[in-house]
Short mmCIF file of all heavy atoms in Angstrom, two decimals:
data_model
loop_
_atom_site.label_atom_id
_atom_site.label_comp_id
_atom_site.label_asym_id
_atom_site.label_seq_id
_atom_site.Cartn_x
_atom_site.Cartn_y
_atom_site.Cartn_z
N SER A 37 0.03 14.29 9.43
CA SER A 37 -1.02 15.31 9.54
C SER A 37 -1.74 15.22 10.88
O SER A 37 -2.01 16.24 11.52
CB SER A 37 -2.02 15.16 8.39
OG SER A 37 -1.38 15.33 7.14
N ALA A 38 -2.05 14.00 11.30
CA ALA A 38 -2.72 13.82 12.59
C ALA A 38 -1.82 14.25 13.74
O ALA A 38 -2.24 14.96 14.66
CB ALA A 38 -3.15 12.37 12.76
N ALA A 39 -0.55 13.82 13.70
CA ALA A 39 0.38 14.14 14.78
C ALA A 39 0.59 15.64 14.91
O ALA A 39 0.64 16.19 16.02
CB ALA A 39 1.71 13.43 14.55
N ALA A 40 0.70 16.33 13.78
CA ALA A 40 0.93 17.78 13.82
C ALA A 40 -0.24 18.50 14.46
O ALA A 40 -0.06 19.40 15.31
CB ALA A 40 1.16 18.31 12.40
N ARG A 41 -1.46 18.13 14.08
CA ARG A 41 -2.65 18.81 14.64
C ARG A 41 -2.78 18.55 16.13
O ARG A 41 -3.10 19.47 16.91
CB ARG A 41 -3.90 18.32 13.90
CG ARG A 41 -5.19 18.98 14.36
CD ARG A 41 -5.22 20.44 13.95
NE ARG A 41 -6.48 21.07 14.29
CZ ARG A 41 -6.74 21.65 15.45
NH1 ARG A 41 -5.80 21.64 16.40
NH2 ARG A 41 -7.90 22.23 15.68
N LEU A 42 -2.53 17.33 16.55
CA LEU A 42 -2.68 16.98 17.96
C LEU A 42 -1.60 17.61 18.82
O LEU A 42 -1.87 18.12 19.92
CB LEU A 42 -2.66 15.45 18.12
CG LEU A 42 -3.86 14.72 17.50
CD1 LEU A 42 -3.55 13.23 17.35
CD2 LEU A 42 -5.11 14.92 18.34
N ALA A 43 -0.36 17.58 18.35
CA ALA A 43 0.73 18.16 19.13
C ALA A 43 0.59 19.68 19.23
O ALA A 43 0.90 20.27 20.26
CB ALA A 43 2.07 17.79 18.50
N ALA A 44 0.10 20.31 18.16
CA ALA A 44 -0.11 21.76 18.19
C ALA A 44 -1.15 22.15 19.24
O ALA A 44 -1.12 23.27 19.76
CB ALA A 44 -0.53 22.26 16.82
N ALA A 45 -2.06 21.22 19.54
CA ALA A 45 -3.09 21.48 20.55
C ALA A 45 -2.61 21.16 21.96
O ALA A 45 -3.38 21.32 22.92
CB ALA A 45 -4.35 20.66 20.23
N GLY A 46 -1.38 20.68 22.09
CA GLY A 46 -0.82 20.44 23.41
C GLY A 46 -0.89 19.03 23.92
O GLY A 46 -0.48 18.75 25.05
N LEU A 47 -1.35 18.07 23.12
CA LEU A 47 -1.39 16.68 23.56
C LEU A 47 -0.03 16.04 23.41
O LEU A 47 0.77 16.43 22.54
CB LEU A 47 -2.43 15.89 22.75
CG LEU A 47 -3.86 15.85 23.32
CD1 LEU A 47 -4.47 17.23 23.32
CD2 LEU A 47 -4.74 14.87 22.54
N GLY A 48 0.25 15.05 24.26
CA GLY A 48 1.48 14.28 24.15
C GLY A 48 1.32 13.22 23.07
O GLY A 48 0.46 12.35 23.17
N VAL A 49 2.16 13.29 22.05
CA VAL A 49 2.02 12.42 20.89
C VAL A 49 3.31 11.65 20.65
O VAL A 49 4.40 12.23 20.65
CB VAL A 49 1.66 13.23 19.62
CG1 VAL A 49 1.51 12.31 18.41
CG2 VAL A 49 0.40 14.06 19.84
N THR A 50 3.16 10.35 20.45
CA THR A 50 4.27 9.51 20.00
C THR A 50 3.96 9.05 18.58
O THR A 50 2.88 8.52 18.31
CB THR A 50 4.47 8.28 20.90
OG1 THR A 50 4.93 8.70 22.19
CG2 THR A 50 5.50 7.33 20.31
N LEU A 51 4.92 9.26 17.69
CA LEU A 51 4.79 8.84 16.30
C LEU A 51 5.85 7.79 16.04
O LEU A 51 7.05 8.05 16.17
CB LEU A 51 4.97 10.04 15.37
CG LEU A 51 4.95 9.80 13.86
CD1 LEU A 51 3.65 9.16 13.43
CD2 LEU A 51 5.17 11.10 13.12
N VAL A 52 5.43 6.57 15.68
CA VAL A 52 6.36 5.47 15.50
C VAL A 52 6.32 5.01 14.05
O VAL A 52 5.25 4.90 13.45
CB VAL A 52 6.03 4.30 16.46
CG1 VAL A 52 4.61 3.82 16.29
CG2 VAL A 52 7.00 3.15 16.28
N ASP A 53 7.51 4.78 13.48
CA ASP A 53 7.61 4.33 12.09
C ASP A 53 8.81 3.41 11.96
O ASP A 53 9.85 3.64 12.59
CB ASP A 53 7.76 5.52 11.14
CG ASP A 53 7.53 5.14 9.69
OD1 ASP A 53 8.47 4.61 9.05
OD2 ASP A 53 6.42 5.36 9.19
N GLU A 54 8.67 2.38 11.13
CA GLU A 54 9.75 1.39 11.01
C GLU A 54 10.93 1.89 10.19
O GLU A 54 12.02 1.34 10.27
CB GLU A 54 9.22 0.10 10.41
CG GLU A 54 8.73 0.21 8.99
CD GLU A 54 8.25 -1.14 8.45
OE1 GLU A 54 9.09 -2.05 8.34
OE2 GLU A 54 7.06 -1.25 8.17
N GLN A 55 10.73 2.93 9.38
CA GLN A 55 11.82 3.44 8.56
C GLN A 55 12.74 4.36 9.38
O GLN A 55 12.31 4.92 10.40
CB GLN A 55 11.26 4.21 7.37
CG GLN A 55 10.43 3.36 6.42
CD GLN A 55 11.22 2.21 5.82
OE1 GLN A 55 12.41 2.35 5.51
NE2 GLN A 55 10.57 1.07 5.67
N PRO A 56 13.97 4.54 8.95
CA PRO A 56 14.89 5.41 9.71
C PRO A 56 14.53 6.88 9.65
O PRO A 56 15.05 7.67 10.44
CB PRO A 56 16.25 5.14 9.06
CG PRO A 56 15.94 4.60 7.71
CD PRO A 56 14.65 3.85 7.85
#
Side-chain angles (χ1 to χ4, degrees):
S37 298
R41 182 69 176 88
L42 292 164
L47 270 65
V49 180
T50 292
L51 176 58
V52 57
D53 193 279
E54 65 178 296
Q55 297 300 323

